[in-house]
Amino acid sequence: MPKTIRNQYDKKLTYENLMKAHIESRKGKGLRKEMILFNLKQEEYILWLYEKLKTGTYKHSGYTEFYVTEPKRRRIEKSIYLDRIVHRWYVDCFMKEYFVKSFISTSYACIENKGMHLACLDLQKAMKHCKRIWNHYYIIKMDVAKYFQNIDKTILYNILERKIKDKKLQWLTKEILYSNGKENGLPIGNYTSQCFANIYLNELDQYAKQKLKLKYWFRYMDDAVAIVKTKKEAIENLELIRTFLKENLKLELNQKTQIFKNTQGVNFCGYKINEYRLKIREKGKRKLKKKVKELKYKIRTNQITSKEAYKYLAGHLGYIKIANVKNLTDKLFYKNSE
């Protein structure tokens, strides 16, 4: 595979590829009003979008802003559906092929066939290995402060431009990247933002692996963990990482960044992990207990069926399935806990 993207924009810009991006984008959203209306004239919309992208007259529309409170309060910037089709086409045809494939094997967020479960299991496997070879070791736990808001778009574009040599694709990259009218920060909610954020911190991954020679390095978006043999190595490497982030990416680590002895375990992707157990953090337990209690009440009062309750719990059940939670699940699901 070529290392740079040249003369690919027009080759990838086809009615079929845009229709495929539409089909992928609408998954799970088919009953929404905007989807029903779009589908009535989908061929016309896709042809219109094709012409705009072909002639270079496409303009990214504005955003609708709203807030979510779980897992914490965040501002979401939602683009219109036509723009979301462009985002999907852009990422699937260019970013995945030329950027994502170059990521290190221990980067997990927003990557097909990966995710937080695999990240936690791989980290635990590495911890067991380090316990065998070193007995005692240290864990560097890192978390970037306000990551999406602090991404420098000029630096990000320069990173992208190292591979993107196609002039038309450079134009579209800028159109998407600066679509919210801000010099810094990516809109949380865009399909492109997830990919851009991963590309941005891939610079840190490469530094950690190639320069610092950190063999045991794991990253899920802005949440990273490194395992080293001694406390001295941990302190030195953490300081070098802080400097790299500040000087090269204009980022800082937040107060949750710490160094732990292996006996303390580590919090990663919502789990408390040590060599032999993978547990749900207390915050996660409280949320699960609250949700189960609410659903049991609704079932008893005939507001929902057990089948509907299971659908509401699907995300929570996916979260707990890899953890050591037998006592918790017995209490919640098999005993009367009211």
Side-chain angles (χ1 to χ4, degrees):
M1 184 185 71
K3 292 183 178 181
T4 57
I5 309 175
R6 298 178 186 272
N7 306 315
Q8 292 298 306
Y9 183 91
D10 288 324
K11 291 180 183 178
K12 299 288 187 181
L13 180 58
T14 64
Y15 174 87
E16 291 75 17
N17 279 343
L18 289 174
M19 181 59 75
K20 183 179 178 181
H22 159 51
I23 292 169
E24 289 296 317
S25 298
R26 74 182 181 189
K27 284 183 177 178
K29 307 177 183 73
L31 297 179
R32 294 181 184 179
K33 184 179 178 180
E34 66 172 345
M35 284 294 94
I36 295 171
L37 294 174
F38 188 93
N39 288 335
L40 291 173
K41 295 185 177 182
Q42 63 180 17
E43 291 85 2
E44 295 176 39
Y45 284 129
I46 296 298
L47 282 172
W48 180 86
L49 192 56
Y50 170 83
E51 288 300 323
K52 290 291 182 180
L53 290 167
K54 188 74 174 177
T55 58
T57 55
Y58 165 76
K59 292 290 182 184
H60 197 289
S61 302
Y63 290 86
T64 301
E65 296 185 359
F66 61 95
Y67 287 86
V68 296
T69 56
E70 293 292 342
K72 60 183 178 182
R73 182 175 170 82
R74 285 179 177 153
R75 184 181 67 186
I76 305 297
E77 295 175 84
K78 181 182 177 182
S79 52
I80 67 167
Y81 186 66
L82 273 171
D83 291 330
R84 300 205 297 273
I85 293 174
V86 176
H87 297 167
R88 174 72 66 164
W89 171 72
Y90 176 87
V91 171
D92 289 355
C93 287
F94 303 106
M95 298 296 103
K96 285 185 177 179
E97 186 69 21
Y98 289 89
F99 287 91
V100 176
K101 285 186 177 181
S102 67
F103 289 173
I104 64 172
S105 62
T106 51
S107 174
Y108 297 89
C110 309
I111 300 174
E112 193 174 351
N113 298 320
K114 290 193 174 182
M116 65 171 60
H117 287 174
L118 184 61
C120 292
L121 292 172
D122 283 354
L123 173 58
Q124 187 181 50
K125 184 178 178 181
M127 291 168 73
K128 289 178 181 178
H129 176 71
C130 291
K131 176 68 175 177
R132 286 195 301 270
I133 62 174
W134 294 330
N135 191 24
H136 299 292
Y137 59 86
Y138 287 83
I139 302 166
I140 313 169
K141 172 65 172 63
M142 294 153 281
D143 201 331
V144 178
K146 298 181 180 178
Y147 179 47
F148 275 78
Q149 298 97 307
N150 288 325
I151 289 175
D152 187 293
K153 289 181 179 177
T154 300
I155 294 174
L156 174 57
Y157 182 75
N158 289 337
I159 292 169
L160 294 166
E161 196 179 32
R162 294 203 301 253
K163 283 186 183 255
I164 300 174
K165 303 302 180 184
D166 187 308
K167 295 298 183 183
K168 291 183 178 179
L169 192 58
Q170 289 177 351
W171 157 73
L172 182 59
T173 299
K174 287 182 178 178
E175 186 65 34
I176 295 171
L177 191 58
Y178 293 96
S179 58
N180 65 349
K182 299 173 184 176
E183 285 301 312
N184 290 320
L186 298 177
I188 298 175
N190 273 5
Y191 188 57
T192 49
S193 294
Q194 299 172 358
C195 192
F196 285 155
N198 249 343
I199 291 169
Y200 201 70
L201 273 189
N202 180 56
E203 299 294 300
L204 175 61
D205 292 341
Q206 299 300 331
Y207 174 72
K209 299 292 283 187
Q210 303 299 326
K211 299 293 185 181
L212 301 183
K213 305 297 182 184
L214 291 172
K215 184 177 181 180
Y216 306 106
W217 171 269
F218 304 85
R219 183 177 65 81
Y220 188 93
M221 198 52 75
D222 60 330
D223 202 0
V225 171
I227 302 173
V228 295
K229 186 176 181 179
T230 67
K231 187 174 183 179
K232 182 173 181 289
E233 288 178 81
I235 293 170
E236 290 175 351
N237 280 291
L238 179 55
E239 189 57 37
L240 288 169
I241 288 167
R242 286 188 193 276
T243 301
F244 177 86
L245 285 171
K246 186 174 183 179
E247 293 182 352
N248 293 274
L249 300 176
K250 294 186 180 179
L251 297 173
E252 293 183 355
L253 297 173
N254 66 20
Q255 71 278 3
K256 290 187 284 186
T257 297
Q258 294 182 60
I259 294 171
F260 299 97
K261 294 178 180 178
N262 67 293
T263 52
Q264 295 173 276
V266 64
N267 289 328
F268 186 54
C269 293
Y271 299 90
K272 178 72 173 181
I273 307 171
N274 63 31
E275 294 103 349
Y276 307 106
R277 290 185 65 82
L278 197 156
K279 300 192 292 186
I280 300 174
R281 295 168 63 184
E282 288 302 316
K283 184 179 179 181
K285 285 183 184 179
R286 289 195 297 271
K287 286 174 60 179
L288 178 60
K289 288 176 181 178
K290 181 180 178 183
K291 176 59 70 174
V292 170
K293 186 175 181 179
E294 289 174 356
L295 293 174
K296 283 182 176 181
Y297 174 78
K298 288 184 177 180
I299 292 170
R300 283 202 316 273
T301 55
N302 297 316
Q303 295 181 50
I304 59 172
T305 65
S306 296
K307 189 174 181 180
E308 289 171 331
Y310 182 83
K311 289 181 180 179
Y312 287 121
L313 268 180
H316 294 275
L317 295 175
Y319 168 57
I320 69 173
K321 71 179 182 180
I322 67 166
N324 304 111
V325 290
K326 186 178 186 304
N327 290 340
L328 176 64
T329 54
D330 282 351
K331 181 178 178 181
L332 289 177
F333 301 117
Y334 303 114
K335 297 178 182 178
N336 186 355
S337 58
E338 294 301 318

